Amino acid sequence: MNKLLLAAALAGGMFASASAQNVIERPTIADNWSIGFDAGVTTPFLKHNFFKNMRPQLGLHVEKQLTPLIGVGVEGAWGINTTSSKTVFDSQYVGGYGTLDLSNAFGGFTCTPRFVDVDLVAGMGWLHYYAVGPHDINDLGARTGVRVNFNVTDNFSISLKPAIVWNLTASSHKVAFNRRRSNAELMVGFNYNFGPGFKCVTVPEDLTSTVAALNAQVNALRADVEGASVALAAQTAENAQLAQALADCQNAPAKVVEKTTNTLESVRFVFFRIGSSVITADQMPNVEMIAAYMKNHPDSKVEIKGYASQDGNPEFNERLAAARAESVKNALIKKYKISADRITAKGEGIGHMFSEESWNRVSICTLDR
């Protein structure tokens, strides 16, 4: 049998307690059929002697329970003739119907079946009256009522079925729910259920913990992808800056200088993630290159200017820009033992050097040879 473990139950593993979870089991189309025999009485509802005109009635029905709330079926009922007429039956109703389980609708589905449950029943069908006048009569009918089920065993139940049967067309052939054209019924149904019913399956505790672990792995992978995207954007920004600097050098007229300052070799970039002043592992090689140069040139100094993008609060970005400059300075001092008097660090606020906004989250380090 196919078992529907709802996606909500799987997602619930993220929040599950130590106890196992219960999920409704969904039967197949061949399950949950029932067949029944009905016996009772029927009598005109108004404008007749209620008890004097009462007569026995027999019926049959076949039903399929689609969900814990909804069922469908077909039924037939035959009123037994108690007059001197030669026909055994004087009336017949054959039609289809639907049911709504009020107990499950208002009380919720229970894994243990209730001994008593209540259904709302409504349907339409064919009304036939035998030998009334010179010809039989055919009309459109409807049946509405309730059904109180006593579930004696898993497969056998007894139902108390009060209902009203409406003659919707009668002699006027105009469809109407008219009490003067209705019969009251009280039937008792004896039903055999082919099952298996709607039961519960238990989601094992180890499955919910496995789902939670998988969700944690997915979140970790998402974080890694985001970090890689930031690093790629930073490297792309650096490459673009270097390419532009190279193009500027190639297009500039040649000149001879005794000392070169602020050239391509004297500028390094340290890019940061959004809202952060922490130097990521992929940016540490840039800091190490600055430190190596300053160790090889004891008289050199470095000026560090921190910038922030336009994202977020301006006051926060001012502080963030300064923090990014200080972050590079502290790395040079603490990790690479560069003297603090050789380093100048200050925040420049929001940067506008690059058209790609994320590239402006940067510390620009300029070496003075």
Side-chain angles (χ1 to χ4, degrees), residues 74-125:
V74 293
E75 61 182 349
W78 293 266
I80 298 176
N81 190 359
T82 58
T83 68
S84 59
S85 173
K86 295 181 180 181
T87 59
V88 177
F89 303 107
D90 59 6
S91 66
Q92 171 184 286
Y93 174 85
V94 177
Y97 64 91
T99 66
L100 174 65
D101 193 314
L102 299 178
S103 299
N104 284 339
F106 295 99
F109 179 81
T110 59
C111 294
T112 303
R114 296 181 174 89
F115 177 68
V116 179
D117 62 71
V118 181
D119 295 327
L120 184 66
V121 184
M124 297 187 68

Side-chain angles (χ1 to χ4, degrees), residues 16 52 182 246 283 354 364 368:
K52 183 178 179 179
S182 63
L246 178 59
Q283 295 299 306
F354 306 106
I364 299 177
D368 179 12

Side-chain angles (χ1 to χ4, degrees), residues 12-156:
M14 297 172 59
F15 309 100
S17 62
S19 62
Q21 301 178 20
N22 290 324
V23 182
I24 295 175
E25 184 181 42
R26 183 178 67 181
T28 67
I29 191 65
D31 299 322
N32 288 351
W33 288 90
S34 65
I35 187 170
F37 168 76
D38 304 314
V41 293
T42 179
T43 186
F45 193 56
L46 292 176
K47 299 299 182 180
H48 293 79
N49 189 310
F50 190 85
F51 292 101
K52 183 178 179 179
N53 289 281
M54 187 175 292
R55 61 192 185 282
Q57 183 168 257
L58 300 175
L60 294 171
H61 65 268
V62 178
E63 186 174 319
K64 163 70 174 174
Q65 194 69 26
L66 300 176
T67 72
L69 290 179
I70 298 172
V72 293
V74 293
E75 61 182 349
W78 293 266
I80 298 176
N81 190 359
T82 58
T83 68
S84 59
S85 173
K86 295 181 180 181
T87 59
V88 177
F89 303 107
D90 59 6
S91 66
Q92 171 184 286
Y93 174 85
V94 177
Y97 64 91
T99 66
L100 174 65
D101 193 314
L102 299 178
S103 299
N104 284 339
F106 295 99
F109 179 81
T110 59
C111 294
T112 303
R114 296 181 174 89
F115 177 68
V116 179
D117 62 71
V118 181
D119 295 327
L120 184 66
V121 184
M124 297 187 68
W126 167 46
L127 272 173
H128 182 80
Y129 300 97
Y130 293 91
V132 179
H135 304 288
D136 291 359
I137 296 176
N138 297 288
D139 286 306
L140 179 65
R143 175 182 263 114
T144 58
V146 296
R147 184 172 66 189
V148 182
N149 305 302
F150 299 89
N151 300 304
V152 181
T153 69
D154 289 342
N155 298 105
F156 180 71

Side-chain angles (χ1 to χ4, degrees), residues 133-204:
H135 304 288
D136 291 359
I137 296 176
N138 297 288
D139 286 306
L140 179 65
R143 175 182 263 114
T144 58
V146 296
R147 184 172 66 189
V148 182
N149 305 302
F150 299 89
N151 300 304
V152 181
T153 69
D154 289 342
N155 298 105
F156 180 71
S157 64
I158 300 174
S159 302
L160 186 64
K161 304 166 67 174
I164 300 294
V165 178
W166 311 83
N167 189 327
L168 298 181
T169 53
S171 58
S172 65
H173 298 288
K174 294 181 179 180
V175 177
F177 285 90
N178 190 325
R179 291 178 296 172
R180 294 182 178 85
R181 290 186 275 154
S182 63
N183 275 29
E185 289 183 357
L186 180 60
M187 304 285 281
V188 176
F190 302 89
N191 316 296
Y192 184 80
N193 309 306
F194 293 93
F198 294 90
K199 300 180 180 180
C200 293
V201 294
T202 300
V203 179

